[in-house]
């Protein structure tokens, strides 16, 4: 079996080893070593990037107690090959994984809230707890985690038989294996885990929450530890400075108060805008009826609208055709498109919006369709397309 150097020397970044087996595989070559610093993916943690004899390692996994390394090319040597890992990536994994153990243990001890799932992700890691936590509980959890980190408690990894592990006060469930790997945070927590960990809790560094939400009935808490947490804190500080300058305030509480006031004001203004747009839409409709020309069975009107959306135009059509025997030709430029709508009430005969506009959309490279009462769609905007639509409307109004 490969000697697992990373258990006792997690910060060792390079090692000379011997290749004990090498065979082709779909991903390249599968290699085993007499000793390794490469952590096999598992325990919610990915493997590190690195190289063996200069060949990039794309994957490391464990199978029946043996550690396999996947190389994208065949190494030139078998004896005395140099193994290197991304030590910065290793340190990051250690900080996130050890931080997760401290968070989970503290939540269990403080609130009897067990961990269901934990994931060490590339940007932000997360833990799913059985029960939701209040803001007060999250604050208490933060203080307890900070306290454990400051105590610099030793962290050790040991192997046990299933029978031995069953007699120990292990937090959480133990997945059956021939050898059980336990991570012991001295005097604080004992948990079965396969991940890499810091030598002591002090190396974890700061731990900070970045968000939370309910997922499938579980409370998911997002966090960052170590250098990730420091970078996140710096970004938050800079963001608060930018926000303070934008709002012309000097502190976080002042910013929160002003944002709350602006949010309330925005809601009022949105309602006021909605009301005024409704009034404007009604006035636009009245003007259309006033300018309408007589046609077969009623009147007809054409209008190029500015600044309206399709929902508002449809509402205008619905109201006018309900109240008047009117055939409407409405156009509205929306960016690079020209939105077109033709509508009439049931009692009007002689013009079929769907049939007429189907040909118009096709001939102008657009899309749309309709019925005997309503046709709508879009064509690429051009002065010619707008002129053609206006000409169609006037041809009907002049009949």
């Amino acid at each position: 079996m490969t000697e697992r150097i990373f258990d006792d020397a997690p910060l060792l970044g390079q090692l000379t080893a011997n290749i004990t087996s090498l065979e082709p595989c779909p991903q390249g070559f599968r290699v085993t070593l007499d000793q390794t610093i490469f952590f096999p993916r598992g325990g919610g943690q990915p493997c590190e990037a690195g190289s063996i004899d200069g060949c990039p390692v794309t994957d490391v996994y464990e199978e029946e107690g043996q550690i396999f390394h996947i190389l994208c090319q065949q190494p030139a040597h078998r004896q005395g090959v140099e193994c290197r890992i991304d030590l910065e990536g290793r340190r990051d994994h250690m900080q996130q994984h050890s931080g997760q153990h401290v968070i989970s243990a503290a939540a269990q001890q403080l609130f009897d809230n067990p961990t269901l799932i934990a994931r060490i992700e590339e940007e932000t890691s997360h833990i799913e707890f059985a029960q939701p936590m209040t803001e007060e509980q999250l604050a208490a959890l933060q203080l307890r985690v900070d306290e454990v980190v400051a105590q610099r408690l030793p962290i050790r990894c040991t192997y046990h038989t299933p029978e031995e592990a069953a007699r120990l006060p292990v937090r959480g469930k133990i997945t059956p294996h021939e050898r059980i790997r336990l991570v012991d945070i001295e005097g604080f927590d004992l948990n079965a885990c396969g991940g890499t960990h810091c030598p002591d809790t002090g190396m974890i560094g700061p731990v900070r929450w970045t968000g939370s939400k309910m997922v499938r009935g579980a409370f998911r808490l997002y966090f960052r530890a170590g250098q990730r947490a420091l970078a996140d804190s710096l970004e938050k500080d800079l963001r608060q400075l930018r926000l303070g300058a934008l709002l012309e305030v000097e502190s976080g509480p002042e910013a929160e108060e002003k944002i709350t006031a602006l949010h309330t004001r925005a809601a009022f203004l949105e309602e006021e805008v909605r009301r005024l747009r409704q009034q404007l839409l009604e006035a636009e409709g009245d003007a259309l009826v006033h300018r309408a020309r007589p046609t077969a069975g009623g009147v007809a009107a054409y209008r190029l609208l500015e600044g309206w959306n399709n929902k508002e135009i449809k509402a205008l059509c619905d109201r006018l055709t309900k109240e008047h025997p009117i055939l409407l030709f409405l156009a509205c430029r929306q960016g690079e498109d020209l939105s077109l709508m033709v509508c009439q009430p049931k009692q009007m005969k002689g013009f079929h919006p769907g049939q007429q506009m189907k040909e118009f959309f096709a001939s102008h490279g657009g899309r749309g369709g309709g019925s005997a009462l309503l046709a709508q769609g879009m064509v690429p905007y051009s002065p010619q397309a707008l002129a053609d639509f206006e000409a169609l409307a006037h041809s009907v109004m002049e009949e």
Side-chain angles (χ1 to χ4, degrees):
M1 291 293 180
T2 303
E3 186 179 356
R4 307 160 71 97
I5 302 299
F6 54 79
D7 276 338
D8 297 320
L11 292 174
L12 186 64
Q14 65 181 78
L15 174 75
T16 300
N18 299 317
I19 294 178
T20 55
S21 73
L22 186 153
E23 59 184 4
C25 68
Q27 299 80 21
F29 294 88
R30 191 169 81 156
V31 168
T32 61
L33 304 171
D34 61 349
Q35 56 179 350
T36 186
I37 53 175
F38 285 89
F39 169 76
R41 54 179 161 84
Q45 178 181 319
C47 62
E48 292 93 2
S51 65
I52 295 175
D53 199 32
C55 304
V57 176
T58 59
D59 192 14
V60 184
Y61 64 93
E62 185 174 357
E63 195 173 272
E64 296 182 354
Q66 183 61 274
I67 297 178
F68 294 98
H69 310 73
I70 304 301
L71 281 59
C72 59
Q73 64 190 68
Q74 184 172 356
H77 308 90
R78 299 286 293 264
Q79 302 297 310
V81 295
E82 186 176 9
C83 303
R84 292 180 177 271
I85 63 168
D86 174 11
L87 198 53
E88 184 177 345
R90 163 65 63 80
R91 183 185 294 270
D92 175 66
H93 288 159
M94 292 164 57
Q95 290 177 325
Q96 310 314 311
H97 213 143
S98 299
Q100 179 264 307
H101 276 237
V102 173
I103 297 168
S104 292
Q108 179 79 56
Q109 294 168 14
L110 290 174
F111 316 118
D112 194 24
N113 196 355
T115 291
L116 303 177
I117 297 173
R119 291 286 183 269
I120 308 302
E121 306 289 356
E122 185 175 345
E123 293 293 332
T124 300
S125 302
H126 68 263
I127 306 169
E128 291 183 11
F129 293 97
Q131 305 159 16
M133 283 187 269
T134 65
E135 186 174 317
E136 291 75 15
Q137 287 177 320
L138 289 173
L141 181 62
Q142 179 73 76
L143 291 174
R144 179 56 177 149
V145 170
D146 291 345
E147 182 180 49
V148 173
V149 169
Q151 289 175 339
R152 297 185 174 276
L153 302 177
I155 302 177
R156 300 183 182 88
C157 298
T158 56
Y159 290 88
H160 304 265
T161 66
E163 295 75 20
E164 290 172 340
R167 292 193 292 268
L168 297 173
V170 178
R171 174 179 57 83
K173 296 181 180 179
I174 299 177
T175 303
H177 285 290
E178 186 178 344
R179 294 192 311 159
I180 306 299
R181 184 173 184 262
L182 297 181
V183 177
D184 181 11
I185 302 178
E186 188 175 283
F188 176 70
D189 183 51
L190 184 64
N191 183 243
C193 178
T196 52
H197 293 275
C198 300
D200 61 65
T201 58
M203 187 180 286
I204 297 172
V207 177
R208 294 294 178 265
W209 318 143
T210 61
S212 65
K213 66 178 181 180
M214 296 301 295
V215 180
R216 302 179 304 276
F219 179 75
R220 179 179 290 182
L221 178 63
Y222 294 90
F223 73 94
R224 289 177 178 168
Q227 289 301 120
R228 291 193 199 183
L230 290 172
D232 188 63
S233 294
L234 176 59
E235 175 55 32
K236 286 179 179 178
D237 290 344
L238 293 175
R239 188 181 300 118
Q240 182 166 322
L241 289 174
R242 292 192 297 267
L243 187 61
L246 182 65
L247 297 173
E248 297 181 337
V249 297
E250 297 180 359
S251 67
E254 287 180 305
E256 185 175 2
E257 182 179 347
K258 192 162 188 178
I259 289 172
T260 301
L262 289 172
H263 185 269
T264 303
R265 177 66 175 166
F268 169 79
L269 292 176
E270 285 177 6
E271 177 58 28
E272 186 69 6
V273 167
R274 187 202 64 77
R275 185 182 65 81
L276 292 174
R277 285 187 70 85
Q278 181 63 32
Q279 291 181 359
L280 185 58
L281 191 66
E282 292 174 359
E284 188 71 63
D286 294 341
L288 270 170
V289 173
H290 180 73
R291 291 194 299 269
R293 301 180 186 178
T295 189
V299 295
Y302 162 80
R303 177 70 167 154
L304 172 62
L305 301 170
E306 300 289 347
W308 300 98
N309 59 47
N310 289 341
K311 184 177 179 181
E312 292 169 325
I313 297 172
K314 180 63 167 54
L316 177 63
C317 283
D318 291 343
R319 183 175 74 85
L320 292 185
T321 56
K322 182 179 180 180
E323 298 174 355
H324 305 277
I326 188 169
L327 172 61
L328 293 171
F329 292 83
L330 304 177
C332 182
R333 184 174 181 181
Q334 298 176 353
E336 298 300 316
D337 293 319
L338 183 65
S339 179
L340 305 174
M341 194 171 295
V342 181
C343 62
Q344 65 182 4
K346 291 181 180 180
Q347 64 266 33
M348 294 191 70
K349 307 292 182 181
F351 185 83
H352 194 294
Q355 292 178 355
Q356 296 289 335
M357 291 305 295
K358 180 179 180 181
E359 181 180 344
F360 187 93
F361 292 137
S363 63
H364 288 78
R367 61 191 185 278
S371 65
L373 301 180
L374 172 68
Q376 59 183 333
M378 284 190 174
V379 299
Y381 173 79
S382 70
Q384 186 61 53
L386 181 59
D388 290 346
F389 182 68
E390 184 176 1
L392 173 63
H394 286 137
S395 71
V396 175
M397 291 188 285
E398 292 169 359
E399 292 179 355

